[in-house]
Amino acid sequence: MIVVVATNETGVVGVRARLAALGAAASEVVAPSEARRLVIATVDDDAKAEQLAVALRAEGEWAVARPTDRVRLDGWMQHTAPLTFGDRLSVCFAWTEHDRRDLGGLVELGAGGFGNGAHPATRLLIDQLVNRVAGGERVLDVGCGSGVLGLCALRLGASSLVAVDMKETAVEATCRNAAINGMGPRVAARLGPLGELDDPFDVVVANVGRAAIVELAPDLVRLVARDGWLAVSGISSPQCDLVAGFLRPLVEIDRQSSGEWSALALAHP
């Protein structure tokens, strides 16, 4: 197994020293982008490699264990390939070994939370952000998971993000991912119900599924600014009309589908 630790140029020496102290000598440093450095160490035992990656993540490092045998490595490389959304935005794991020097609007993600942009329901909402974010918007990400949607909005030019989830692990992952991308000062991630929020937002995104959208509908509608818009996903095509009905008086302005998944964009009439 290989342990990969994502850092920057100034962090390489410290990561190499920490790996050595934990019994893994760094064998290579690669630079997949101008800012990112990957310190790569070979570990003979698979279990030890996993333990080492877990220990490093507990210390705040962006570390992962990856396979070396060809079959599993091919799958790993496919799984960690950057996702692109036109020429405005791209998403990848911080530790991916794929070159990303020429990717536009890069958002990097670390470990933890839920969602990396690959699921069709998430991609549909990212497409809405790419098509609609003009710059300067206040954004609310409901059920933030890993924070990927809100961070994509910031990379596209939104000014600030409030990310809300009922799981502490999601809030923690969102904060870590905001830091990875240098967006920490513009992100407020929090636990708790939407009812505790008062001020409306220019953009509200919620990839939470039909049942949660219906339950949260009054607050979702209330929190959309007069000139703002709401996008929801995690629903099937047959559920779209039902969901749109619960989100009145907002009116549907767009509907997109990918396989069995659909997303709706709505705004005030």
Side-chain angles (χ1 to χ4, degrees), residues 114 119 121-122 125 140-145 149 164-166 194 204-217 220 230-236 239 243 247 261-263:
F114 178 80
H119 192 280
T122 311
L125 286 189
L140 172 64
D141 183 356
V142 180
C144 56
L149 290 173
V164 178
D165 205 290
M166 298 303 291
L194 293 182
V204 180
V205 289
N207 182 19
V208 293
R210 178 195 60 81
I213 294 169
V214 171
E215 179 183 352
L216 298 172
L220 291 174
L230 163 70
V232 297
S233 189
I235 58 178
S236 66
Q239 294 172 340
V243 168
L247 294 170
W261 299 97
S262 291

Side-chain angles (χ1 to χ4, degrees), residues 42 72 93 119-120 138 163 171 183 185 231 244 248 259 269:
T42 302
R72 288 195 298 161
F93 293 110
H119 192 280
R138 295 183 67 247
V171 172
M183 299 175 179
R248 294 190 182 103

Side-chain angles (χ1 to χ4, degrees), residues 140-166:
L140 172 64
D141 183 356
V142 180
C144 56
S146 65
V148 61
L149 290 173
L151 298 178
C152 284
L154 292 179
R155 186 64 78 209
L156 289 165
S159 63
S160 63
L161 167 67
V162 174
V164 178
D165 205 290
M166 298 303 291

Side-chain angles (χ1 to χ4, degrees), residues 51-212:
Q51 293 169 0
L52 179 58
V54 169
L56 288 167
R57 289 198 297 271
E59 296 175 4
E61 301 289 353
W62 310 326
V64 67
R66 73 130 165 102
T68 54
D69 65 274
R70 178 51 54 189
V71 173
R72 288 195 298 161
L73 180 58
D74 286 346
W76 173 266
M77 294 302 287
Q78 292 179 20
H79 173 65
T80 60
L83 305 172
T84 57
F85 302 84
D87 58 0
R88 292 189 66 194
L89 188 70
S90 53
V91 179
C92 73
F93 293 110
W95 54 75
T96 180
E97 293 162 68
H98 291 273
D99 187 272
R100 46 196 187 269
R101 287 181 175 83
D102 297 327
L103 296 181
L106 183 63
V107 173
E108 293 186 325
L109 301 175
F114 178 80
N116 63 4
H119 192 280
T122 311
R123 292 186 68 102
L124 287 168
L125 286 189
I126 294 177
D127 286 337
Q128 289 291 334
L129 292 169
V130 170
N131 293 332
R132 298 182 184 281
V133 171
E137 295 93 340
R138 295 183 67 247
V139 177
L140 172 64
D141 183 356
V142 180
C144 56
S146 65
V148 61
L149 290 173
L151 298 178
C152 284
L154 292 179
R155 186 64 78 209
L156 289 165
S159 63
S160 63
L161 167 67
V162 174
V164 178
D165 205 290
M166 298 303 291
K167 295 181 179 179
E168 187 171 356
T169 53
V171 172
E172 292 171 350
T174 297
C175 291
R176 289 195 301 269
N177 287 330
I180 289 173
N181 292 280
M183 299 175 179
R186 293 192 285 160
V187 175
R190 53 179 291 174
L191 287 168
L194 293 182
E196 296 179 357
L197 299 177
D198 295 321
D199 296 332
F201 294 82
D202 304 302
V203 177
V204 180
V205 289
N207 182 19
V208 293
R210 178 195 60 81

